[in-house]
Amino acid sequence: MVSDKQPAGLLDTLKMERVRTILTHTYPYPHEHSRHAVIAVVVGCLFFISSDNIHTLVEKLDNNIKWWSMYGCLFGFFYFFSSPFLVKTIKPSYSNFSRWYIGWILVAAVYHLPSFQSMGVDMRMNLSLFLTIYISSIVFLLVFHIIFYGLWYIGLVSRVAGKRPEILTILQNCAVLSVACCVFYSHCGNRAMLREKLERKNSNNWFSFWNKEERNTWLAKFLRMNELKDQVCSSWFAPVGSASDYPLLSKWVIYGEIACNGSCPGSSDEISPIYSLWATFIGLYIANYVVERSTGWALTHPLSVKEYEKVKKKQMKPDFLDMVPWYSGTSADLFKTVFDLLVSVTVFVGRFDMRMMQAAMSRAEDGNQQRDLLYDHFSEKDDFWFDFMADTGDGGNSSYSVARLLARPFLRTLKDDAEVTLPRGDLLLIGGDLAYPNPSTFTYERRLFVPFEYALQPPPSYKAKQIEVNKLCGDQLKQYDGPQCFIIPGNHDWFDGLQTFMRYICYRSWLGGWLMPQKKSYFALQLPKRWWVFGLDLALHNDIDVYQFKFFTELIMEKVQEDDNVIIITHEPNWLTDWYWSDVTGQNVSHLICDYLKGRCKLRMAGDLHHYLRHSHVKSDGPVHVHHLLVNGCGGAFLHPTHVFDKFSKLDGVTYECKAAYPSVEDSSRIALGNILKFRKKNWQFDFIGGIIYFILVFSMFPQCELNHILQDDSFSGQIRSFLGTVWNGFIYILQHSYVSFVGASVLLISAYSFVPPKLSRKKRLMIGVLHVSAHLAAALILMLLLEIGIEICIRHELLATSGYHTLYQWYRSVESEHFPDPTGLRARIEQWTFGLYPACIKYLMSAFDVPEVMAVSRNNICKNGLESVSRGGAIIYYAAVFLYFWVFSTPVVSLVFGSYLYICINWLHLHFDEAFSSLRIANYKSFTRFHISSDGNLEVFTLAVDKVRNYFM
């Protein structure tokens, strides 16, 4: 148990964030009208929806079970697709794209279904009206901003107004304005009130609700919400008057429609209430913007205390990165990692080795190799504490959680029910993998240095960009009393041939507040009381090189005494990995330990596996080369399982037993269940690849023209049998006749076979790969058939494939003159002034919401005349329309199938321990180990863990 009490930092004492705010002269322009408008629109929507008689709406719903089922499936798939993005911020571009994408596709699907129209809500009118108002608002506001910015440029507007408007703010305001107008139209219409009726209603006090004699009447109307809605529409949102009252506006307004029985002579001269509402919102936006930008209103109204505290907290929030998304289909870093790994394995392994270069440089400088590799400045201390951690540099929260504990002057914990104080270590040893997914300037600075600098600041004289060529050594190091750090590289640090590691570790002096004296990638430390630490660099060979072996053997023969104790640090715990993979690696390391140290190796430590495991030897008569084995890779990277390695028991003929595991074997097995439940939530960027793969698998199966045997079967069980039979026939068709789908399935099978760990035989790998691909192919075929059945049902009920392309725009143009009269020809003039761009933009924007219609029309043409009768452009349009919906339906399923595969493999077959847990990106279960060499020469070991990592982004 660790005390979490922490003294106040320097920044909190000096209130530096306040100084920063004063000196930077920031002028915030919070567009509060946007937020208030959103609230107003939401409240208005709830009011108008509740104003209708719910019982009437329910009665109007179709009783056909097919429509209820279709609605349930449609909204279910769209919910599962969008669920990973519900709590995401607007920053991730893919998440933001998915929000817009899901909204677009869902609206395009819903407005073709029948029940909304039966409830009295015409989705076509609302959608077309929204798009028209939205485009008009964007054009109007852009023109306004251009004019306003021009006035600022020539000096007619205050210089304070020079900041350009945010495009997203304009789009947001236009969207809110358009939704408000559509909600009003849905429940109030665009009816022009007769003048005598309007004057009579306006003679009433708008606030008659508060008159004593009117209360009972309003209360009664409140109970009859429909009447209250009519009262609001006719009184509060009545038109502003006739166009004849405003001669200058008579040619610049849209008019309202006349509400009368039979034919209505002429047209109304009343201004459209929709137009009035739109003009009011536009006027409010312009007035608010001009006041803010021209008068400096925001400068004279400072933030409130609550808002200031929010800004202060945001400014002082740690600039941490999230954990690496290993299954991201949109991450350039991961593709770069694969490329770097291929180059490293091809070029560096066996051809060029930076360790040999280091040895040659050491001899060329002064002929004394041990000067840069052996450090003995700790040897004279009487009481010595040091720490070990590994595999940091993944998530900022998890890395900082460990670093801040390492940085504290002391920690309190319990030992034998007594409180023990553990002072900060004089030495920090890091066991490799400093930054994920690849070594680069960005990953080292943001994933390694930033968390450590937040935990313990470097001295003021430290310059991050400077190369340190003259590091402290010898007596200078003995005089230095602060914490120091020595680091060995891991496999991820070798992906670029160790270039970034050399630049940031060997040629920099500080990791946060820890001094880094080391000059090479491997080292030897002489500690007090005849203890030694050997830090070995295994590179990508999983073994030490000849020059490294020569250095350590000479050191053992010349300086290490017979009764000395040695701790060996490597990045990879080859005693576990060799047992798991049934392999033999690190032969030079074993040779060094068995034939040179001869029992003096008391402890071997490693990282690489992101968990904690400690094994101790079982007493026997034979020689013991290594007494204790310790793995602690919980420095900040994602968690690895422990239950996969619970059967390990032997190394070099010596039996070992597990003394501690963190997390426990039971917890580790339970955590793996998250692959089924949380794979897509944790790896939502996997959609990009998964949806494309499923579409390729069934590409040749579109369209399915013969579905009568499924839809016309009398019994539900018969429909299921016909459905499954069609799926099986589709599988046979792919094998016998398809080209694209067959190639896609073959490539997927090869990938699945290669994905299975090579520890199994080829026959077992092939069997697992076939089962894996079969599950994906069956899921893709089922989704394909469900989509085709849904389209076929809509076509048979004349909901789709009734009009052709641009149906929404054509319908809107046919009713536009009826509901929105334009006797002065305003729309024609706008079309002329914009050279036809205005109606063209609206036409093609509306066509984007006709995707289901395009898909159905193209499908009918292909089914009647064959694919050969369709032009190449028509085929591309059809398959693109199918892909837009099939991608949404398939992404939750491909994640479920793949997550289930990982769960089965990790818990039943003990395969994919890396892949199955990197997918979960677990930041919890972090730890480090603190050692104490007491005055009598004994070594005490304390492992301190953090079960739950705090989110420092909040």
Side-chain angles (χ1 to χ4, degrees):
M1 185 175 181
V2 179
S3 174
D4 197 42
K5 190 174 181 180
Q6 191 174 12
L10 179 63
L11 288 178
D12 293 331
T13 305
L14 297 181
K15 299 294 181 184
M16 287 297 294
E17 72 284 350
R18 182 62 179 172
V19 177
R20 181 192 309 172
T21 303
I22 294 174
L23 295 181
T24 52
H25 297 289
T26 56
Y27 304 114
Y29 292 102
H31 295 280
E32 291 296 327
H33 57 280
S34 300
R35 186 177 64 180
H36 296 161
V38 171
I39 296 174
V41 168
V42 171
V43 173
C45 290
L46 294 177
F47 167 75
F48 283 118
I49 291 173
S50 63
S51 64
D52 287 314
N53 193 323
I54 301 299
H55 298 289
T56 304
L57 296 181
V58 174
E59 290 175 359
K60 289 180 179 179
L61 282 173
D62 295 333
N63 295 322
N64 197 324
I65 190 63
K66 286 185 292 188
W67 297 121
W68 283 104
S69 303
M70 186 174 292
Y71 270 107
C73 294
L74 183 67
F75 283 99
F77 272 111
F78 277 94
Y79 169 76
F80 284 117
F81 178 86
S82 59
S83 58
F85 315 116
L86 297 180
V87 296
K88 300 291 179 184
T89 62
I90 205 70
K91 284 186 177 181
S93 57
Y94 182 79
S95 176
N96 194 20
F97 159 76
S98 298
R99 287 188 181 97
W100 288 100
Y101 179 83
I102 198 68
W104 164 42
I105 295 298
L106 179 60
V107 171
V110 167
Y111 101 84
H112 285 91
L113 296 181
S115 294
F116 281 99
Q117 295 177 14
S118 66
M119 289 189 293
V121 179
D122 195 339
M123 287 291 294
R124 292 182 300 176
M125 193 65 206
N126 282 276
L127 179 58
S128 56
L129 183 62
F130 170 83
L131 296 175
T132 305
I133 297 177
Y134 188 63
I135 293 295
S136 304
S137 303
I138 292 176
V139 172
F140 191 91
L141 291 183
L142 286 178
V143 171
F144 160 73
H145 283 294
I146 292 173
I147 296 174
F148 189 84
Y149 196 72
L151 295 175
W152 169 85
Y153 187 78
I154 63 177
L156 297 180
V157 181
S158 172
R159 305 302 295 178
V160 178
K163 185 179 179 182
R164 296 178 183 178
E166 295 288 343
I167 298 299
L168 287 179
T169 302
I170 297 176
L171 297 179
Q172 175 187 347
N173 283 305
C174 292
V176 171
L177 186 155
S178 304
V179 170
C181 292
C182 291
V183 171
F184 173 81
Y185 177 81
S186 297
H187 297 274
C188 297
N190 191 39
R191 291 171 300 189
M193 317 298 280
L194 297 179
R195 173 162 299 278
E196 57 272 13
K197 184 177 180 181
L198 180 62
E199 291 177 353
R200 183 175 68 251
K201 288 188 176 295
N202 286 341
S203 64
N204 295 330
N205 189 342
W206 274 37
F207 298 97
S208 61
F209 175 79
W210 304 108
N211 294 339
K212 198 173 203 178
E213 60 275 10
E214 298 288 341
R215 286 180 185 171
N216 294 334
T217 304
W218 275 86
L219 182 60
K221 289 183 178 180
F222 182 78
L223 297 177
R224 300 189 301 273
M225 295 293 292
N226 195 44
E227 296 182 13
L228 177 60
K229 180 199 71 173
D230 293 337
Q231 181 74 18
V232 172
C233 291
S234 60
S235 297
W236 291 3
F237 293 105
V240 297
S242 171
S244 60
D245 298 334
Y246 311 95
L248 294 177
L249 297 178
S250 59
K251 294 184 178 181
W252 305 98
V253 298
I254 298 296
Y255 295 81
E257 59 179 318
I258 299 178
C260 60
N261 296 325
S263 61
C264 299
S267 61
S268 170
D269 66 343
E270 298 291 336
I271 297 177
S272 165
I274 302 295
Y275 183 87
S276 303
L277 188 63
W278 175 83
T280 302
F281 280 127
I282 290 291
L284 288 174
Y285 175 89
I286 294 176
N288 183 85
Y289 190 88
V290 171
V291 169
E292 282 187 353
R293 298 301 179 94
S294 299
T295 64
W297 178 87
L299 298 180
T300 60
H301 292 73
L303 298 176
S304 64
V305 175
K306 184 178 181 181
E307 291 172 335
Y308 170 74
E309 291 296 329
K310 185 183 297 184
V311 173
K312 167 188 168 184
K313 183 178 180 181
K314 184 177 180 179
Q315 287 180 341
M316 303 306 295
K317 182 175 65 176
D319 189 19
F320 293 158
L321 296 178
D322 200 1
M323 303 194 78
V324 174
W326 294 99
Y327 286 88
S328 170
T330 61
S331 174
D333 268 348
L334 296 183
F335 292 108
K336 182 180 182 299
T337 301
V338 175
F339 176 78
D340 287 345
L341 180 59
L342 293 175
V343 171
S344 298
V345 173
T346 305
V347 176
F348 294 107
V349 174
R351 291 174 176 83
F352 176 80
D353 197 328
M354 179 62 74
R355 298 173 300 180
M356 297 182 183
M357 181 68 73
Q358 294 179 78
M361 291 175 61
S362 297
R363 292 188 179 276
E365 288 175 357
D366 56 5
N368 183 9
Q369 186 180 6
Q370 291 189 357
R371 177 183 176 184
D372 292 342
L373 300 174
L374 174 61
Y375 299 86
D376 59 357
H377 55 284
F378 296 118
S379 60
E380 297 178 1
K381 293 182 177 291
D382 184 59
D383 194 69
F384 187 72
W385 293 81
F386 66 99
D387 301 323
F388 173 78
M389 67 174 297
D391 300 278
T392 185
D394 190 356
N397 289 319
S398 53
S399 299
Y400 176 68
S401 296
V402 177
R404 68 194 292 263
L405 293 177
L406 292 168
R408 290 187 179 181
F410 59 86
L411 297 171
R412 291 190 178 94
T413 186
L414 295 177
K415 179 183 178 182
D416 298 331
D417 296 329
E419 188 177 85
V420 179
T421 300
L422 311 179
R424 180 171 59 202
D426 300 307
L427 168 66
L428 171 61
L429 301 171
I430 300 181
D433 277 0
L434 306 182
Y436 295 90
N438 54 64
S440 65
T441 297
F442 176 80
T443 55
Y444 263 58
E445 289 182 352
R446 295 294 302 278
R447 296 191 181 275
L448 174 64
F449 280 85
V450 167
F452 275 85
E453 288 172 358
Y454 267 97
L456 188 63
Q457 294 183 356
S461 60
Y462 169 65
K463 305 296 183 183
K465 302 299 181 181
Q466 292 183 355
I467 295 177
E468 188 66 49
V469 293
N470 296 316
K471 290 191 172 185
L472 297 181
C473 60
D475 294 336
Q476 294 175 321
L477 280 177
K478 291 182 180 180
Q479 296 172 4
Y480 178 74
D481 196 35
Q484 300 178 33
C485 178
F486 285 80
I487 305 172
I488 61 171
N491 58 304
H492 282 266
D493 304 305
W494 267 95
F495 285 174
D496 66 344
L498 209 65
Q499 296 297 322
T500 307
F501 180 91
M502 296 295 293
R503 183 169 71 251
Y504 278 88
I505 305 302
C506 298
Y507 291 102
R508 278 197 184 183
S509 293
W510 296 94
L511 174 62
W514 285 268
L515 176 68
M516 293 190 297
Q518 79 180 83
K519 301 178 182 179
K520 299 294 182 287
S521 62
Y522 54 94
F523 53 83
L525 299 173
Q526 186 175 0
L527 304 183
K529 309 302 178 183
R530 313 186 73 84
W531 281 91
W532 295 78
V533 171
F534 290 176
L536 310 184
D537 180 6
L538 303 183
L540 296 175
H541 303 265
N542 292 330
D543 204 353
I544 58 176
D545 62 299
V546 175
Y547 294 98
Q548 199 174 171
F549 180 83
K550 184 175 183 296
F551 163 72
F552 284 109
T553 54
E554 290 177 352
L555 181 64
I556 292 171
M557 291 185 292
E558 294 175 4
K559 295 184 176 295
V560 179
Q561 304 300 318
E562 291 297 327
D563 55 347
D564 285 1
N565 304 303
V566 178
I567 300 173
I568 288 185
I569 301 176
T570 58
H571 173 64
E572 181 175 318
N574 58 358
W575 60 92
L576 287 180
T577 56
D578 286 355
W579 167 83
Y580 179 83
W581 297 109
S582 301
D583 196 5
V584 177
T585 62
Q587 295 180 350
N588 291 339
V589 177
S590 298
H591 183 31
L592 180 71
I593 294 174
C594 298
D595 298 332
Y596 284 89
L597 288 177
K598 298 178 180 179
R600 285 173 286 182
C601 182
K602 303 301 181 183
L603 174 64
R604 281 197 65 181
M605 292 193 300
D608 193 44
L609 297 178
H610 311 158
H611 56 224
Y612 177 79
L613 281 175
R614 181 172 62 85
H615 292 82
S616 297
H617 77 280
V618 177
K619 292 184 178 181
S620 62
D621 297 333
V624 178
H625 304 295
V626 181
H627 293 257
H628 303 278
L629 304 170
L630 186 148
V631 179
N632 192 347
C634 303
F638 65 88
L639 183 68
H640 269 143
T642 55
H643 66 279
V644 175
F645 303 95
D646 62 338
K647 302 298 183 183
F648 165 78
S649 61
K650 282 187 176 295
L651 174 65
D652 295 330
V654 179
T655 302
Y656 292 83
E657 61 178 349
C658 183
K659 295 294 186 179
Y662 182 76
S664 65
V665 172
E666 295 77 12
D667 288 342
S668 174
S669 180
R670 175 182 51 82
I671 291 171
L673 183 62
N675 278 293
I676 298 179
L677 305 177
K678 300 179 181 179
F679 180 87
R680 186 164 183 269
K681 184 177 181 180
K682 296 285 187 179
N683 305 279
W684 43 270
Q685 289 171 304
F686 185 70
D687 292 351
F688 184 79
I689 294 178
I692 294 176
I693 291 175
Y694 267 35
F695 183 70
I696 293 175
L697 289 178
V698 296
F699 176 84
S700 302
M701 303 303 299
F702 288 105
Q704 291 289 307
C705 300
E706 298 297 332
L707 297 174
N708 291 330
H709 62 290
I710 298 177
L711 298 176
Q712 295 180 358
D713 203 299
D714 296 332
S715 63
F716 180 73
S717 59
Q719 291 178 337
I720 294 296
R721 284 194 299 269
S722 300
F723 182 89
L724 296 178
T726 305
V727 171
W728 175 253
N729 293 334
F731 178 74
I732 299 301
Y733 177 84
I734 290 176
L735 295 180
Q736 295 180 350
H737 304 287
S738 171
Y739 293 101
V740 176
S741 298
F742 179 76
V743 172
S746 301
V747 173
L748 184 62
L749 179 59
I750 295 173
S751 302
Y753 172 81
S754 304
F755 188 65
V756 179
K759 66 175 295 184
L760 299 179
S761 65
R762 292 182 179 179
K763 184 182 295 185
K764 291 182 179 179
R765 293 176 66 189
L766 181 60
M767 184 183 303
I768 294 175
V770 169
L771 292 175
H772 187 192
V773 172
S774 298
H776 284 296
L777 187 57
L781 288 170
I782 291 173
L783 291 174
M784 175 274 302
L785 198 54
L786 288 174
L787 178 61
E788 286 290 296
I789 289 175
I791 297 173
E792 181 69 20
I793 292 175
C794 290
I795 292 176
R796 294 189 178 190
H797 287 78
E798 298 183 350
L799 298 174
L800 294 176
T802 56
S803 304
Y805 303 148
H806 302 296
T807 56
L808 181 61
Y809 179 73
Q810 294 170 2
W811 176 87
Y812 176 71
R813 290 302 296 259
S814 66
V815 300
E816 186 180 36
S817 59
E818 174 186 353
H819 297 286
F820 298 94
D822 183 20
T824 63
L826 177 60
R827 281 190 287 265
R829 294 199 302 275
I830 295 177
E831 180 178 353
Q832 181 180 2
W833 293 339
T834 58
F835 302 100
L837 291 177
Y838 173 73
C841 289
I842 295 178
K843 176 180 179 180
Y844 287 102
L845 188 60
M846 288 185 179
S847 67
F849 290 87
D850 269 329
V851 176
E853 182 72 13
V854 171
M855 183 166 47
V857 171
S858 302
R859 180 179 182 274
N860 275 355
N861 292 337
I862 295 174
C863 289
K864 290 179 181 178
N865 306 315
L867 186 60
E868 298 79 8
S869 63
V870 181
S871 65
R872 180 174 299 180
I876 293 175
I877 292 175
Y878 169 69
Y879 284 110
V882 171
F883 173 75
L884 290 175
Y885 279 94
F886 187 79
W887 189 64
V888 174
F889 297 155
S890 62
T891 48
V893 178
V894 66
S895 296
L896 177 64
V897 173
F898 188 72
S900 301
Y901 164 79
L902 292 178
Y903 171 76
I904 293 172
C905 287
I906 190 62
N907 268 15
W908 297 0
L909 306 177
H910 286 186
L911 301 175
H912 294 303
F913 70 87
D914 207 7
E915 295 83 357
F917 269 65
S918 63
S919 63
L920 299 176
R921 301 166 64 192
I922 297 173
N924 300 325
Y925 300 100
K926 295 295 166 275
S927 67
F928 69 95
T929 302
R930 179 156 291 178
F931 299 89
H932 177 218
I933 301 178
S934 61
S935 56
D936 57 3
N938 291 327
L939 181 68
E940 295 181 295
V941 182
F942 303 87
T943 295
L944 306 174
V946 180
D947 293 334
K948 179 71 173 179
V949 170
R950 175 186 168 188
N951 186 0
Y952 295 94
F953 291 97
M954 302 301 290

